[in-house]
Amino acid sequence: MKRLLIAFLTSTIAMPALAQSTDPHAGHTMPATAPADPHAGHAMPMPQSADPHAGHDMGSMTSTPAAPPVAPPPPGAFAGPAHAADTIFGADAMAPSRAQLRLEHGGMAGHYMLMADRLEARIGKGANAYLWDAQGWYGGDIDKLWIKTEGEGAFGGPLEQAEVQALWSHAINPWFDLQLGVRADIRPTPERAHLVVGIQGLMPYWFEIDAAAFLSDKGDLTGRVEAEYDQRITQKLILQPRVEFDLAAQDVPERHIGAGLASVEAGLRLRYEFVPEFAPYVGVEYERKTGKTADFARDAGEGTGGWRFLIGLRTWL
């Protein structure tokens, strides 16, 4: 029994020692595990400087090319007359030509122009008729006051249509003017007043354009587009095609105008310029009222258009 008690006490004392040998860190406070180094084992390149050209001599690559030499005009350049043509034709002979040139390019000599573009008799089906289309301006190269008027009627009959426009014109580029103003319709009745906004000038290839929108004192919106071109056959003989479109945004029954394209005119005029200021012409023109406008004309017992033979005069001051 004594031997058994000794063996039990011996085994009881040896158990903690055996447990401690199984977990040597049991009961210790361990530090947090450090993150793995992603570049561990990589060969890192040496860092570069911010400016790869720092320290380089770049002076020869950034120098400004030398400006070309500038020399004054030679003395002989100022030895002759102001206009080379004077040496051939003489200054007295060239003076009228220069005055004419100034007048034709903006009227710098007089600062105004009056032109009757169409004064013509119209011969066709029905009563022979007449038409005028004239305009004039006063001002400078940029701003001008324009007055335009046109009308028509039958010989021996009442005046059928007449209007006058007063417009402020401002050059928006070398070729076109913006025009704003008012228009007064004298005929047909009832009379109307309109606000006007439009452009007038030269398209490429020298097509003359005059386009305008009109807002009447009754709220009616209408428009007109005119285009013409001077084709010179000789220095004095000129063939001029011309078209005109009248448009409306709504019906205006009291004036026999229907919405949409109201009427179209297309004509050819052949004029002879005895002098630029005086040029009689002959021509033909086809006019047609369309759509609701034609219906209004038929209801009123009027014609809707047709061919006319034209005899007229174009003149200006």
Side-chain angles (χ1 to χ4, degrees):
M1 184 65 182
K2 186 177 180 180
R3 292 178 181 178
L4 182 63
L5 180 60
I6 293 171
F8 173 76
L9 293 173
T10 303
S11 62
T12 304
I13 295 171
M15 286 298 290
L18 180 62
Q20 290 179 358
S21 64
T22 304
D23 183 5
H25 303 293
H28 295 182
T29 301
M30 300 300 291
T33 305
D37 184 2
H39 302 294
H42 292 183
M44 300 300 291
M46 294 297 292
Q48 296 182 351
S49 60
D51 183 3
H53 301 293
H56 294 184
D57 183 8
M58 305 293 289
S60 60
M61 300 179 64
T62 58
S63 62
T64 303
V70 177
F78 303 102
H83 304 285
D86 293 351
T87 61
I88 301 174
F89 303 103
D92 293 340
M94 291 301 300
S97 298
R98 291 197 185 92
Q100 182 64 37
L101 186 65
R102 286 194 295 271
L103 186 62
E104 293 179 355
H105 288 76
M108 291 179 288
H111 300 284
Y112 72 90
M113 174 176 280
L114 297 174
M115 171 180 285
D117 192 36
R118 293 182 296 163
L119 295 174
E120 65 189 27
R122 323 185 90 190
I123 303 168
K125 186 178 180 180
N128 297 331
Y130 60 87
L131 176 144
W132 79 82
D133 180 2
Q135 55 189 340
W137 60 262
Y138 176 84
D141 294 336
I142 304 300
D143 295 291
K144 298 183 180 72
L145 170 65
W146 278 83
I147 301 295
K148 301 180 182 180
T149 178
E150 63 180 80
E152 60 182 305
F155 288 109
L159 181 62
E160 297 177 359
Q161 179 182 351
E163 67 175 49
V164 179
Q165 298 183 40
L167 307 170
W168 167 71
S169 179
H170 180 78
I172 54 178
N173 61 36
W175 308 106
F176 276 94
D177 291 345
L178 173 67
Q179 297 182 333
L180 305 171
V182 295
R183 165 186 147 191
D185 289 353
I186 302 170
R187 291 287 187 277
T189 55
E191 297 181 358
R192 288 281 191 275
H194 305 257
L195 295 176
V196 182
V197 57
I199 58 172
Q200 183 172 358
L202 287 176
M203 293 283 288
Y205 302 100
W206 302 97
F207 285 91
E208 296 185 23
I209 300 293
D210 186 356
F214 310 101
L215 180 62
S216 78
D217 54 353
K218 300 299 182 182
D220 302 322
L221 180 62
T222 57
R224 181 185 302 155
V225 179
E226 302 175 27
E228 59 188 37
Y229 178 78
D230 282 354
Q231 176 61 58
R232 288 191 175 273
I233 299 173
T234 69
Q235 288 297 318
K236 293 182 176 292
L237 192 62
I238 300 167
L239 181 65
Q240 183 192 67
R242 183 182 183 279
V243 295
E244 177 178 330
F245 303 94
D246 289 302
L247 308 131
Q250 66 293 299
D251 291 340
V252 190
E254 64 273 23
R255 296 173 66 87
H256 296 179
I257 298 174
L261 180 62
S263 65
V264 178
E265 293 181 12
L268 279 174
R269 291 169 174 79
L270 182 65
R271 72 174 186 266
Y272 186 84
E273 291 185 350
F274 288 98
V275 293
E277 299 88 343
F278 184 83
Y281 63 80
V282 296
V284 293
E285 185 173 78
Y286 182 77
E287 177 182 3
R288 176 62 61 185
K289 297 176 181 175
T290 63
K292 198 70 172 292
T293 303
D295 295 338
F296 285 133
R298 295 188 189 97
D299 294 342
E302 302 173 354
T304 58
W307 287 96
R308 292 179 182 273
F309 178 71
L310 311 173
I311 301 175
L313 173 67
R314 182 178 189 263
T315 183
W316 52 274
L317 299 174

